Structure formats: structure tokens, C-alpha cells
Amino acid sequence: MAKVILGVTISLDGFAEDKSGSVGPLYPDLDVLRDTDVMREAQRNAGAVVMSWKEFSMAEDPDTYADNYEFQVPIFVFTDKVPEKHPKENDAVTFTFITDGVESAVRQAKAVAGDKDVQIIGSAKTVQEFLQKGIADELQVDIIPILLHEGARPFESLDKSIKLERTKVVELPAGRTHLRFRVLKE
């Protein structure tokens, strides 16, 4: 059965974004990360991606998603605004802009993904929202051994009733550690 997988990378001191809201410092190893078994497995199992407008707009040119994004699957962007210019698409990457909430984005992504997983690309706020609403089946956290000292933390202010069960730990190149957790639901 397809899963909704919430993924985030954090610094060793727990930040998913630096003080300016950028995730750039958390990916000094992006070229190496793309060639790991963990990334290849995620790509192979993905049937759709859900991301917020913030994550979508991190690309300097949204048209680059069509040919360069690591997940070549339909992308659902939850937002309060639809871009004036629709980004370039290809046979695999299509964009749907969802203005009626994350639940709708996930529902539509699941319908397209079929038996494959829905990957949620998360910032600190996205992680909090999906965990608080109980939407994710699995949480994947990559820890990169840098210290940001300030920024946005994804696990602050979460309801203490959220329970996780660790299912996997993988050491990746460049000191990155990949952790997987099943989100336990009542």
C-alpha cells in the first residue's frame, strides 16, 4: 500500500532552515546525496510529490523542475496563489496548484500515485503541519553534521501525543545520517 512520506533535513542542532529561511546550508552534499541508495529508493517508489509554495519557489527558475528535479513525477503545490505563468512540464513532471489545503493536495496526489508513495517535501512549517494533522505515515529525517545556531526548527511546538517508531538508520556519505520513523496512529 502506498505511503505518505514526510521528509526533512535538519542540522545537528535541529534546524530545518537557516535564519533567512533557506535550506541551502543543509545540502553541501547534494551531488553525492543524489547518487545514494536512499535517494534512488525514494525516486523508484515515488508516485507523486507534495510541496508548499515556499519549497516550490526555492527554484530560481521553476521551469528547471521538468528536466532536473530528482523526482520525475506529478507535483502538487499547496498554496494560496496560483502562479501567473504555469511552469514547464514534461511527460512525467506535471504541476497542480492546490488552494484548498494540504489534505486536498495529499488526496489528489494519492489518486495520481496509485500504489506508489507520495513524497512530502518539507520545510519546518510543512513538517509541523503534516505531523499535527496526522497526515504522514512515515517521517524521514536526514541529519547533516553542521550547526546553524538559529533558524526554524520543525519539531518545536508539536503535540506531545505524536508517537514515532524508528524503523531504519542509514549512514550516508559526507556524515549525513538518514533516519526513518513510522508515525503511529491511534
Side-chain angles (χ1 to χ4, degrees):
M1 181 175 183
K3 295 181 284 191
V4 175
I5 299 174
L6 176 59
V8 66
T9 294
I10 61 172
S11 62
L12 192 56
D13 52 352
F15 295 98
E17 303 163 29
D18 67 14
K19 66 182 178 181
S20 66
S22 174
V23 299
L26 299 170
Y27 294 94
D29 59 341
L30 188 56
D31 289 336
V32 174
L33 180 61
R34 286 183 172 142
D35 195 36
T36 63
D37 289 341
V38 167
M39 182 59 81
R40 284 192 294 272
E41 177 187 2
Q43 291 168 327
R44 189 174 49 252
N45 293 337
V49 163
V50 173
M51 63 176 69
S52 76
W53 178 264
K54 179 180 181 174
E55 283 86 38
F56 169 77
S57 64
M58 280 192 228
E60 289 181 33
D61 178 3
D63 287 341
T64 61
Y65 279 105
D67 298 319
N68 297 310
Y69 191 52
E70 51 264 19
F71 292 103
Q72 290 290 300
V73 296
I75 298 173
F76 295 81
V77 181
F78 58 95
T79 180
D80 58 358
K81 60 183 174 185
V82 175
E84 291 180 22
K85 178 184 176 268
H86 196 82
K88 177 182 169 186
E89 299 178 331
N90 62 30
D91 291 341
V93 175
T94 58
F95 287 93
T96 305
F97 294 89
I98 310 295
T99 58
D100 59 345
V102 297
E103 293 93 342
S104 177
V106 170
R107 187 173 46 258
Q108 292 180 53
K110 280 180 159 183
V112 168
D115 291 338
K116 293 197 158 216
D117 295 335
V118 173
Q119 290 283 336
I120 311 300
I121 308 301
S123 65
K125 185 176 178 182
T126 300
V127 169
Q128 290 171 357
E129 185 170 9
F130 275 75
L131 287 175
Q132 285 295 125
K133 291 184 176 185
I135 299 171
D137 299 309
E138 186 173 295
L139 172 64
Q140 295 184 0
V141 180
D142 279 10
I143 302 172
I144 188 80
I146 63 168
L147 300 172
L148 292 180
H149 302 288
E150 56 186 327
R153 286 186 165 125
F155 305 116
E156 280 188 336
S157 306
L158 285 175
D159 186 329
K160 292 181 180 175
S161 68
I162 296 170
K163 303 291 184 219
L164 306 170
E165 175 185 25
R166 189 184 72 212
T167 59
K168 190 170 192 174
V169 177
V170 180
E171 291 183 35
L172 295 173
R176 181 179 290 265
T177 304
H178 175 79
L179 305 168
R180 289 187 193 176
F181 301 90
R182 182 177 302 111
V183 180
L184 303 177
K185 301 184 181 186
E186 295 178 3

